């Protein structure tokens, strides 16, 4: 935390967010190399909505109530200094096996090859136990040494006690595979909760 003269806390605020392009691989990403913070998780978990919440712009990343909306890697240039990266979701059951394999290669290729990626936020719907597909994905992040944090979405859908209990269960599931827990955040694109914590976390890296 940094302080100005009069002890006013300097907070990360997003003053400018600009769509910087779509790509399917690292070679085709925006030419300007800057720190990247990316969002991944099951299809429909709320990745694009969260990016819009952080940027205070509901129209920036396209959202949809039907899964499989984001099919490309989208870069958003923030404050002319860093990128938020919206990735396609994984594990969309209704997509063909071929389509799912293609997305998986796109996602895993990108996160293992992007030298600018600082942290990958893995989004998990707070209403359900963290799934095998998420745990397997996180396991591979560990194998590949990719820094990540877990971000629970749609927290407006649970009361405080139910949310706490669910997170405790997820921690136990994670501890079956991991010695230590990663950083964790709760959020709601609906009521705006978690926004400040997530931005403050990002701020320390830039
Ligand atoms: P794909 O791009 O298809 O992988 O989905 P996504 O993860 O980007 O999800 P998206 O942001 O498009 O949101 C999916 C649906 O969940 C939309 O109907 C959103 O309105 C809803 N949603 C997202 N975040 C929240 C939230 O925090 N609370 C509630 N109640 N609904 C949310
Ligand atoms: Mg999306």
């Amino acid at each position: 935390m940094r302080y100005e003269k009069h002890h006013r806390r300097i907070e990360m605020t997003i003053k400018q967010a600009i769509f910087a392009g779509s790509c399917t691989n690292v070679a085709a990403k925006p030419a300007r190399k800057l720190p990247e913070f990316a969002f991944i998780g099951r299809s429909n978990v709320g990745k694009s909505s969260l990016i819009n919440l952080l940027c205070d712009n509901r129209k920036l990343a396209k959202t949809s109530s039907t899964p499989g909306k984001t099919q490309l890697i989208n870069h958003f240039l923030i404050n002319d200094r860093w990128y938020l990266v919206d990735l396609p979701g994984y594990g969309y059951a209704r997509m063909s096996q071929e389509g799912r394999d293609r997305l998986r290669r796109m996602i895993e290729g990108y996160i293992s090859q992007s030298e600018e990626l600082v942290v990958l936020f893995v989004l998990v719907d707070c209403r359900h136990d963290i799934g095998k597909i998420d745990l397997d994905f996180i396991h591979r992040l560990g194998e590949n040494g990719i820094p990540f944090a877990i971000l629970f979405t749609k927290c407006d859908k649970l009361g405080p006690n139910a949310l706490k209990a669910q997170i405790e269960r997820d921690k136990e599931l994670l501890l079956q595979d991991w010695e230590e827990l990663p950083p964790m955040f709760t959020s709601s694109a609906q009521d705006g909760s978690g926004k400040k914590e997530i931005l403050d976390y990002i701020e320390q890296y830039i």
Side-chain angles (χ1 to χ4, degrees):
M1 209 81 77
R2 293 178 294 133
Y3 289 89
E4 273 179 346
K5 235 190 220 154
H6 305 292
H7 302 285
R8 186 163 66 80
R9 215 192 267 158
I10 301 174
E11 288 178 353
M12 154 77 84
T13 48
I14 292 187
K15 296 187 198 87
Q16 192 187 47
I18 302 168
F19 175 63
S22 300
C23 65
T24 58
N25 58 58
V26 166
K29 74 174 174 178
R32 228 174 124 202
K33 303 292 183 280
L34 294 168
E36 297 176 356
F37 298 83
F39 295 81
I40 189 70
R42 292 183 88 127
S43 195
N44 212 44
V45 70
K47 299 174 290 297
S48 301
S49 302
L50 186 72
I51 286 180
N52 291 345
L53 169 74
L54 297 179
C55 298
D56 264 327
N57 181 347
R58 280 198 209 164
K59 289 184 182 152
L60 192 63
K62 292 197 180 68
T63 65
S64 167
S65 54
T66 40
K69 179 72 188 171
T70 309
Q71 298 257 344
L72 293 168
I73 298 161
N74 295 305
H75 283 70
F76 299 95
L77 177 62
I78 308 299
N79 296 347
D80 208 37
R81 269 200 312 158
W82 53 282
Y83 291 111
L84 279 174
V85 184
D86 193 12
L87 294 165
Y90 54 70
Y92 175 37
R94 292 241 207 108
M95 193 180 280
S96 68
Q97 187 60 44
E98 198 191 319
R100 269 184 281 171
D101 288 346
R102 183 179 54 82
L103 281 189
R104 189 188 146 126
R105 278 195 303 274
M106 192 199 293
I107 295 164
E108 301 209 352
Y110 190 85
I111 59 181
S112 60
Q113 289 162 28
S114 177
E115 285 172 16
E116 285 73 30
L117 181 63
V118 180
V119 177
L120 179 65
F121 290 93
V122 180
L123 276 57
V124 176
D125 188 326
C126 76
R127 291 171 294 177
H128 314 288
D129 279 4
I130 189 164
K132 182 169 178 340
I133 190 164
D134 302 305
L135 293 168
D136 288 348
F137 184 84
I138 293 168
H139 183 85
R140 287 195 298 280
L141 294 179
E143 285 178 338
N144 293 312
I146 294 164
F148 69 94
I150 292 189
L151 209 160
F152 295 99
T153 62
K154 309 195 184 185
C155 294
D156 54 283
K157 300 261 194 185
L158 287 184
N161 293 334
L163 180 62
K164 219 170 140 214
Q166 181 60 60
I167 291 174
E168 286 310 311
R169 271 207 299 285
D170 288 330
K171 283 183 180 171
E172 278 170 32
L173 287 167
L174 284 162
L175 287 171
Q176 289 176 9
D177 196 26
W178 292 82
E179 278 170 35
E180 255 178 73
L181 291 167
M184 290 184 165
F185 299 91
T186 53
S187 73
S188 163
Q190 188 134 306
D191 65 23
S193 67
K195 178 176 174 179
K196 183 183 175 309
E197 289 75 11
I198 297 162
L199 288 177
D200 284 350
Y201 181 74
I202 290 174
E203 215 256 330
Q204 64 175 325
Y205 290 101
I206 50 180

